[in-house]
Amino acid sequence: MSAWGPTPANDGTTFRLWAPDADRVTLEIDGAAPTAMDGQADGWFTATADVGAGVRYRFRICEELAVPDPASRQQSGVCMAGASPSIPLRIAGNRPTGAGGAGRNW
């Protein structure tokens, strides 16, 4: 499996997580019942839900561990059940340049 992150499908959105050491993974979508994800021998778990863009979701690996999607293109900014949201970082020395610091001076 090569696709990462949520992918629109004809019947909703397909969610994927690579968790090779997990016995099971559950997809948790705000306002919906948890959905057991299908596990494959290569460690990928998949589930398709009848939802579109803008829903908040996470993956539950076990009772104590819920995680945000590491491949999501957007995080809600809210810690969900202890799961830390992803935060983009500015790499030191990679500051914007040019007039007013608004970008690279090409």
Side-chain angles (χ1 to χ4, degrees), residues 36-70:
M37 299 181 75
D38 297 323
Q40 282 121 41
D42 60 358
W44 283 97
F45 288 82
T46 61
T48 300
D50 188 18
V51 297
V55 300
R56 293 181 182 189
Y57 68 97
R58 63 182 170 213
F59 301 113
R60 183 158 302 275
I61 309 298
C62 64
E63 184 67 28
E64 302 83 27
L65 181 61
V67 297
D69 186 346

Side-chain angles (χ1 to χ4, degrees), residues 16-17 20-21 26 36-37 41 48 59 61 69 72 78-79 90 100:
R16 297 177 183 87
L17 180 70
D21 292 334
T26 302
M37 299 181 75
T48 300
F59 301 113
I61 309 298
D69 186 346
S72 175
V78 176
C79 289
R90 179 177 295 213

